[in-house]
Amino acid sequence: MPTVAVQPPASHANSVPVLTRKKRNRIFPHTPKRRDSSLTHRQDPLNGFLNLTFVILVSACTNLIIRNYMQYGILFDFTFLTCIWGDLLGAAIVILGMIFYSFSVWVVVKAMIRGVIGHKRATMIYSMSQVLLYLVPIRIVFIRQMAPLMGVSVFLVLVVISLKIHSYFATNSILYKHLQKGKKRDSIFPNNVTIPDYLYFLAAPTLVYETYYPRNVVIRFGFLLKELAGCIACLLVAQLIFAQFILAILYDTENSQGLMHDVLRLSIPSIVAWLLGFYAFFHCWLNVIAEILRFGDREFYRDWWNATSLDIFWRKWNILVHEWLLRHVYLESLRTAKQSQNTAIFWTFLFSAVYHELIFFVGFQVLRPWFFLAMFLQYPLIVFSRFMYNNVLDPRYRDFLGNINVWVGFFVGQPLILILYIREWFLVNPSLSCIPKTAGLGWF
């Protein structure tokens, strides 16, 4: 059959001319025409490859479970349930003491509003109370040599109370200053400064004080029980993963082939345990507290898993801390201290880095700068990644590459924390919840 040469379409201007047959009556349900393959025109979805990735992940995790069982056997035990009672009473006493002590800030705010003391004196008393709030509980943790689980619990409650009372004092102070100038910025202030209001703020799953919070009409007990069961289930599975997979690798220093080898071995179990812990606390537990209190504002996190850069991740993964840092560090640096935007960002990252290091310092009672450096060095990394994102990377792929970069940081960062901090503890002590044999029972 005769053929003729035809020019390609405009979209294929760089292609060579192709030969095509003259028009003929179609005998079979297939007519040759100019077409590109699916991976060339890129218009077909890649959902199948996403499903394949999930299958590969399940296969890899199954292989990891089988190899772990063949090498170590069953390692999960309930030691943490027996050891946790070791200094639970001491930790409970310290936590209750901090809660009662925090009422001193309410007294200071009440006295300031009634005119008993001025704002400057109230600020000085408040600052001294913050210093004592940190010194006394941390001193008790060190004297009693609390196990990391109890020590970290005490310090985290301390940090929550500290951030809450700062927000309470700072917010009411600003409203008080405006009221003194004849500007009533809030219709509820100063009637909000009551003990029931302060108690509700202490218990509410938020770190930023407001004179009013939206509340639900009723408590949904079915929802509450579901989230509570989810919290317990996630924590038990996370404990199983830690005891069976993570702890076995941390102990197994003889088969270690170096730092990167251990990072790769710990990457999957550590990220799974972290995700379970995140879901247990930020979703299940905070929703349980919010449901009991009928607290309406429940955006505790956003879609951090889609973050395309580190700064977006830090803004989305912990909304409670992010909102506190935004109001009381970043904005106060801009408005009160008259700092530049870059300087305010610097102080925000410095504050966050110091507190992250303090968690491990109090919990393991040893000072190593690794967590501080890892957090603080993210500031120049964020500046560099922003430049790459906006000026270098192909717009078609930069979101994909940015998200991959965030997840790679997870897969490297979590194992490094386990190796640099927790491995040293387990080489000497049997459990995170057991009191060391040399621990004392004193208080000061």
Side-chain angles (χ1 to χ4, degrees):
M1 183 177 288
T3 58
V4 294
V6 299
Q7 294 297 326
S11 60
H12 302 282
N14 296 327
S15 305
V16 297
V18 296
L19 295 176
T20 183
R21 293 171 180 246
K22 284 185 176 179
K23 219 169 183 183
R24 63 174 170 82
N25 293 327
R26 194 170 67 170
I27 300 174
F28 302 103
H30 169 72
T31 301
K33 58 183 178 180
R34 181 156 183 81
R35 294 173 293 183
D36 287 326
S37 299
S38 179
L39 293 179
T40 302
H41 60 66
R42 298 179 181 177
Q43 294 177 356
D44 296 328
L46 300 176
N47 295 340
F49 286 107
L50 181 62
N51 297 335
L52 174 62
T53 304
F54 178 76
V55 172
I56 293 174
L57 177 63
V58 172
S59 176
C61 291
T62 304
N63 179 59
L64 177 65
I65 293 171
I66 294 173
R67 292 182 59 186
N68 179 274
Y69 174 75
M70 294 177 64
Q71 185 173 359
Y72 302 110
I74 300 297
L75 298 178
F76 181 72
D77 57 47
F78 294 90
T79 303
F80 73 100
L81 293 177
T82 58
C83 292
I84 199 173
W85 307 106
D87 203 21
L88 182 62
L89 178 61
I93 292 175
V94 175
I95 290 173
L96 288 175
M98 290 188 295
I99 294 173
F100 282 112
Y101 175 77
S102 72
F103 278 86
S104 62
V105 176
W106 177 84
V107 174
V108 171
V109 172
K110 193 71 172 179
M112 178 181 66
I113 292 173
R114 289 187 173 182
V116 177
I117 57 176
H119 179 261
K120 289 185 178 180
R121 181 168 294 183
T123 303
M124 182 180 65
I125 297 173
Y126 158 74
S127 301
M128 293 175 60
S129 67
Q130 279 278 24
V131 173
L132 289 176
L133 177 64
Y134 281 84
L135 289 180
V136 175
I138 293 177
R139 171 68 175 171
I140 294 174
V141 169
F142 274 76
I143 289 295
R144 296 182 67 86
Q145 296 183 38
M146 291 184 182
L149 184 63
M150 291 295 103
V152 168
S153 299
V154 169
F155 185 74
L156 288 178
V157 173
L158 186 157
V159 171
V160 169
I161 292 175
S162 173
L163 301 186
K164 279 178 175 282
I165 63 175
H166 176 79
S167 185
Y168 187 81
F169 180 82
T171 302
N172 283 297
S173 294
I174 292 173
L175 295 175
Y176 173 75
K177 287 181 180 179
H178 284 289
L179 189 63
Q180 291 294 99
K181 296 177 182 179
K183 302 176 182 178
K184 191 174 178 63
R185 299 292 297 272
D186 190 285
S187 60
I188 301 177
F189 183 84
N191 297 324
N192 61 296
V193 185
T194 62
I195 291 181
D197 175 82
Y198 181 73
L199 277 173
Y200 186 85
F201 172 59
L202 279 183
T206 180
L207 299 175
V208 176
Y209 178 72
E210 299 287 352
T211 57
Y212 166 80
Y213 296 104
R215 300 191 191 184
N216 294 343
V217 178
V218 296
I219 298 175
R220 298 169 295 173
F221 289 98
F223 175 82
L224 190 152
L225 292 175
K226 184 192 73 171
E227 297 300 333
L228 182 60
C231 179
I232 296 172
C234 286
L235 291 178
L236 287 176
V237 175
Q239 170 63 24
L240 170 63
I241 292 173
F242 185 84
Q244 186 67 38
F245 297 95
I246 297 175
L247 189 54
I249 297 173
L250 294 177
Y251 272 132
D252 191 14
T253 56
E254 296 181 358
N255 294 323
S256 174
Q257 302 298 320
L259 180 62
M260 288 309 300
H261 178 244
D262 287 341
V263 167
L264 292 174
R265 294 167 70 196
L266 288 166
S267 59
I268 293 179
S270 64
I271 193 67
V272 172
W274 188 92
L275 289 172
L276 287 168
F278 170 84
Y279 185 81
F281 180 76
F282 282 94
H283 183 80
C284 297
W285 180 248
L286 292 182
N287 268 296
V288 167
I289 301 299
E291 194 64 32
I292 293 173
L293 298 175
R294 297 187 290 113
F295 190 78
D297 187 2
R298 304 188 185 189
E299 191 181 37
F300 307 125
Y301 58 89
R302 298 191 185 112
D303 61 329
W304 57 263
W305 47 88
N306 295 323
T308 55
S309 63
L310 290 173
D311 57 325
I312 295 176
F313 166 78
W314 287 115
R315 289 200 300 267
K316 288 187 172 184
W317 93 275
N318 188 342
I319 298 299
L320 304 182
V321 173
H322 169 69
E323 289 181 344
W324 191 95
L325 290 173
L326 180 64
R327 177 190 287 192
H328 297 295
V329 179
Y330 180 76
L331 291 179
E332 286 188 14
S333 298
L334 290 176
R335 297 172 181 175
T336 306
K338 307 300 180 183
Q339 302 286 330
S340 66
Q341 184 177 7
N342 288 331
T343 305
I345 295 174
F346 171 84
W347 288 121
T348 303
F349 267 91
L350 179 63
F351 184 92
S352 180
V354 168
Y355 270 80
H356 276 80
E357 183 61 46
L358 279 174
I359 292 173
F360 285 89
F361 169 65
V362 175
F364 294 94
Q365 302 177 26
V366 61
L367 183 61
R368 296 188 180 95
W370 311 123
F371 210 151
F372 172 82
L373 292 174
M375 289 290 300
F376 192 65
L377 290 177
Q378 288 188 30
Y379 178 72
L381 287 176
I382 288 174
V383 175
F384 177 74
S385 65
R386 282 180 178 176
F387 173 79
M388 294 289 292
Y389 187 88
N390 295 323
N391 302 287
V392 178
L393 296 178
D394 190 326
R396 294 176 298 175
Y397 306 114
R398 59 189 182 188
D399 287 345
F400 169 76
L401 294 175
N403 186 248
I404 291 293
N405 178 58
V406 171
W407 280 112
V408 168
F410 260 93
F411 272 79
V412 175
Q414 297 299 323
L416 283 177
I417 293 173
L418 294 170
I419 294 170
L420 296 176
Y421 287 92
I422 300 180
R423 169 175 275 177
E424 295 296 324
W425 171 267
F426 275 106
L427 291 178
V428 180
N429 301 281
S431 173
L432 289 173
S433 54
C434 293
I435 300 177
K437 296 180 180 179
T438 58
L441 295 176
W443 290 96
F444 298 100

